[in-house]
Amino acid sequence: MPIVAQSTETTDWVSRFADEVIEESERRAPGTVTSVADAPVVVVASGLSPSGPIHLGNLREVMTPHLVADEIRRRGYQVRHLISWDDYDRYRKVPAGVAGVDESWAEHIGKPLTSVPAPKGSPHPNWAEHFKAAMIASLAELGVEFDGISQTEQYTSGAYREQILHAMRHRGDIDAILAQYRTKKAPAKKQQQKQVDEAELEAEEGSGAASEDDGSSGSAGYFPYKPYCGNCEKDLTTVTAYDDDSTELTYACTACGFSETVRLAEFNRGKLVWKVDWPMRWAYEGVVFEPSGVDHSSPGSSFQVGGQIVGIFGGKQPIGPMYAFVGISGMAKMSSSRGGVPTPADALQIMEPQLLRWLYARRRPNQSFKIAFDQEIQRLYDEWDKLAAKVADGSALPGDVAAYTRAIGTAAGELPRTARPLPYRTLASVADITAGHQDQALRILSELDPANPLGSLDEARPRYDKAEAWINTHVPADQRTIVRDEPDTELLKSLDEPSQQSVRLLLDGLAEHWSLDGLTHLVYGVPKVQAGFSADATPKELPPEIKTAQRSFFALLYHLLVGRDTGPRLPTLLLAVGQDRVRTLLGE
Ligand SMILES: [Zn+2]
């Protein structure tokens, strides 16, 4: 069911960019646009380099235009969101920690990413396809609609032939533009990245690699085009001669010594250098919006230089906001098969796509934020559920409603959601304690609210699966909850009279209070009753010492149940342990 487009209001950053992009797109159209129906197709773009696992940090490259494109679609316009797969870029280095890859892959450095073998055991035909596939699957789960364009296909099919010949004819102009920046030192990129995060997401490996050189100035002059060697396939080539009329190009390979002369008008095995390639594609596709990371947006960067070069191709620079890096919390400690760098698939294992979309939608692109893989995810989910409740009862602010609406679906409809979205922290505790026993998990979750039990665990899915995955993969072993097998008789024997009484009060109330709300009331009530107050007394009616008494009572229960000072919230823990076992462990 399509979401009603409640989006013409300028309520958030997405709406404001959509306004700007539509206006710019219409300004570029020949003739006057009088209605949505005769408006040009709006083109927005992202670029991704499948040079290795595509990091979660690079997802912003896609989510920023996606959200803007989606808003434009909701307004009834046609939009193309291009994702340029920069799979014709050179293979730069063997990334660390990728399963099925060893040092022997180093021999492929310099070849196009699509000419490098996929990791061992991969069902995909080459390196680029292997890493693209994982990203494509994540984007589908996130509801991101896009047109993928393989730059290998574009270049090797000759799609850019005219543009390449044009760039070669105008190499002097291009060289003059690039020359303005060659003497200027690039800004201290590393320092800008430092502010991002402890986990140091290396987004610099993103699209187009800003570090790539901008073409070679050999003895034959400057050329913005680089062939891949006809013998060894590497790009360690130098153009030694070029004739504009015949388009005859001679190159030599410094890797293998091969040299040949080709006719560029018929030759499809090479590419424009990055700083020329990017603006060429803006012009070729008519891109109106393409954000970029801070490393592409600084003075002398490819975005800025591209703005000067794009005119050579008869195009215009897109609206291109700079986006700040996205950090990760809690992943640094984790050992990962991918060298500790999380991908969107890793995030989607522990959170629903709605939550991940929300993180991007609610922050302006220039604000950095962190994606939580640690305990913080529980608080984030609390916040998300609170927002959902506010939206439902009409008390949410317009900007928050906008972010929520963008998170739960797209112009094409709502994303599949969990039928019974029980609190994530409760699901995580239950998964923690039941350790894969689904029947137990279902029993406990049904006891949370006995008046409205769960028919099957599926009603709590996929959120339950995400919480379970989080517990299993991101909570260190020493923080996992292990319920005692046998009562701690030593501790039970050593209890003083008031402690014994508190345990007794709890046991006496268990049967009557066996639900999440009931047990919450009970565990907080016991110390009140012991101190001579009503279990219903509110904090204002109680002396501050009650808090201390509650804390020591809780610590005692944790010790008796799980042998530690702390653990999951007690009511959840009690439900998870089950009434009979609680009675045994508490010495009844
Ligand atoms: Zn060669």
Side-chain angles (χ1 to χ4, degrees):
M1 186 184 68
I3 293 164
V4 179
Q6 42 169 230
S7 7
T8 42
E9 288 172 77
T10 304
T11 47
D12 65 351
W13 67 266
V14 181
S15 289
R16 290 190 290 275
F17 272 125
D19 292 342
E20 232 186 285
V21 170
I22 290 168
E23 201 182 310
E24 173 64 16
S25 183
E26 294 183 349
R27 195 180 301 133
R28 291 184 188 189
T32 314
V33 179
T34 53
S35 70
V36 172
D38 68 1
V41 176
V42 179
V43 181
V44 307
S46 308
L48 291 173
S49 177
S51 58
I54 298 177
H55 307 164
L56 189 48
N58 294 122
L59 187 56
R60 204 166 208 181
E61 171 76 27
V62 177
M63 288 310 291
T64 307
H66 163 69
L67 291 165
V68 173
D70 184 57
E71 168 62 24
I72 294 171
R73 247 178 231 128
R74 286 174 197 243
R75 297 186 194 180
Y77 291 83
Q78 282 185 282
V79 189
R80 275 182 86 203
H81 178 184
L82 309 178
I83 292 184
S84 169
W85 298 108
D86 292 329
D87 54 13
Y88 207 45
D89 284 4
R90 76 192 301 261
Y91 186 55
R92 283 197 169 71
K93 63 175 184 190
V94 185
V98 176
V101 175
D102 56 41
E103 270 314 302
S104 70
W105 261 259
E107 71 184 66
H108 302 292
I109 288 172
K111 293 182 188 174
L113 292 166
T114 38
S115 297
V116 177
K120 282 189 205 105
S122 167
H124 302 286
N126 59 58
W127 185 272
E129 291 302 324
H130 176 82
F131 293 105
K132 268 158 79 170
M135 187 66 173
I136 289 169
S138 294
L139 293 176
E141 205 179 328
L142 284 163
V144 174
E145 194 184 308
F146 66 93
D147 269 354
I149 297 182
S150 158
Q151 292 305 326
T152 299
E153 270 174 47
Q154 294 292 96
Y155 273 106
T156 60
S157 70
Y160 299 141
R161 169 142 21 253
E162 287 310 314
Q163 287 70 22
I164 292 168
L165 295 175
H166 188 79
M168 288 296 265
R169 267 194 302 278
H170 294 271
R171 60 188 177 273
D173 302 333
I174 292 171
D175 191 30
I177 292 169
L178 294 171
Q180 299 166 20
Y181 299 96
R182 286 200 189 103
T183 49
K184 291 178 191 165
K185 280 276 270 183
K189 204 193 297 173
K190 287 285 173 219
Q191 262 169 6
Q192 291 178 2
Q193 285 181 15
K194 271 285 155 55
Q195 57 188 238
V196 190
D197 199 10
E198 60 213 14
E200 283 178 41
L201 256 201
E202 291 188 28
E204 89 236 21
E205 275 298 309
S207 166
S211 57
E212 188 180 327
D213 68 344
D214 54 16
S216 56
S217 290
S219 52
Y222 170 80
F223 298 103
Y225 178 85
K226 217 165 211 222
Y228 280 109
C229 174
N231 179 49
C232 72
E233 279 193 273
K234 297 186 177 178
D235 73 340
L236 300 169
T237 56
T238 309
V239 175
T240 53
Y242 181 68
D243 181 73
D244 281 301
D245 296 330
S246 66
T247 78
E248 274 189 359
L249 178 148
T250 306
Y251 71 86
C253 176
T254 56
C256 71
F258 182 77
S259 176
E260 67 174 334
T261 300
V262 298
R263 276 191 67 226
L264 194 53
E266 296 161 354
F267 181 77
N268 294 332
R269 204 186 55 244
K271 71 186 288 288
L272 292 170
V273 295
W274 165 246
K275 280 185 179 170
V276 181
D277 179 41
W278 197 18
M280 178 277 287
R281 288 190 274 116
W282 292 339
Y284 184 89
E285 304 286 1
V287 177
V288 181
F289 183 75
E290 181 168 4
S292 52
V294 292
D295 56 340
H296 285 328
S297 310
S298 46
S301 69
S302 29
F303 186 78
Q304 207 198 40
V305 176
Q308 286 181 260
I309 291 178
V310 67
I312 292 173
F313 295 100
K316 289 179 94 175
Q317 188 175 37
I319 295 167
M322 178 210 87
Y323 56 82
F325 287 119
V326 174
I328 306 299
S329 64
M331 193 79 182
K333 308 176 209 84
M334 305 301 302
S335 67
S336 156
S337 60
R338 284 169 290 263
V341 182
T343 64
D346 290 321
L348 289 170
Q349 239 201 326
I350 62 162
M351 64 183 78
E352 294 162 278
Q354 288 89 342
L355 189 85
L356 190 53
R357 290 176 63 90
W358 181 56
L359 296 178
Y360 288 91
R362 70 181 181 149
R363 297 277 180 253
R364 290 191 311 276
N366 61 0
Q367 291 177 296
S368 60
F369 65 88
K370 283 184 189 177
I371 296 177
F373 282 75
D374 55 8
Q375 301 286 336
E376 172 70 9
I377 191 173
Q378 304 190 80
R379 200 204 52 72
L380 202 63
Y381 250 107
D382 288 345
E383 201 184 333
W384 169 246
D385 287 344
K386 218 173 278 171
L387 172 60
K390 278 186 174 177
V391 171
D393 73 17
S395 65
L397 298 169
D400 295 339
V401 175
Y404 179 80
T405 308
R406 302 187 194 295
I408 62 165
T410 68
E414 274 197 23
L415 298 178
R417 59 163 96 189
T418 301
R420 289 278 299 273
L422 298 168
Y424 187 89
R425 62 171 74 245
T426 303
L427 295 175
S429 295
V430 170
D432 181 19
I433 296 157
T434 57
H437 293 97
Q438 306 212 345
D439 47 339
Q440 276 186 44
L442 176 61
R443 171 186 63 77
I444 299 160
L445 293 174
S446 291
E447 286 171 349
L448 294 176
D449 181 6
N452 195 6
L454 232 53
S456 90
L457 208 47
D458 287 344
E459 292 174 26
R461 289 189 158 116
R463 193 185 279 199
Y464 178 75
D465 298 326
K466 311 284 180 188
E468 188 178 36
W470 177 68
I471 279 286
N472 288 333
T473 54
H474 295 285
V475 177
D478 64 358
Q479 288 173 31
R480 294 290 303 266
T481 305
I482 299 160
V483 180
R484 294 186 62 92
D485 288 327
E486 300 289 333
D488 187 342
T489 44
E490 293 285 299
L491 179 57
L492 283 165
K493 260 190 274 175
S494 72
L495 294 183
D496 58 11
E497 181 53 33
S499 297
Q500 287 181 27
Q501 195 201 16
S502 66
V503 171
R504 179 92 327 248
L505 283 169
L506 182 88
L507 288 168
D508 290 347
L510 273 189
E512 189 192 336
H513 292 90
W514 199 255
S515 69
L516 194 62
D517 287 348
L519 289 171
T520 305
H521 188 258
L522 180 65
V523 296
Y524 283 93
V526 164
K528 299 184 207 170
V529 171
Q530 262 194 304
F533 296 91
S534 155
D536 296 317
T538 59
K540 276 185 193 158
E541 302 163 343
L542 296 164
E545 302 89 77
I546 287 293
K547 276 213 152 55
T548 318
Q550 283 169 337
R551 264 200 297 274
S552 32
F553 177 53
F554 295 171
L556 171 61
L557 292 177
Y558 282 124
H559 269 287
L560 290 169
L561 297 171
V562 298
R564 294 173 44 198
D565 284 341
T566 59
R569 289 184 173 179
L570 267 176
T572 314
L573 178 63
L574 292 166
L575 284 175
V577 174
Q579 222 179 119
D580 290 346
R581 199 158 165 206
V582 168
R583 290 184 188 281
T584 307
L585 293 176
L586 297 190
E588 190 173 78

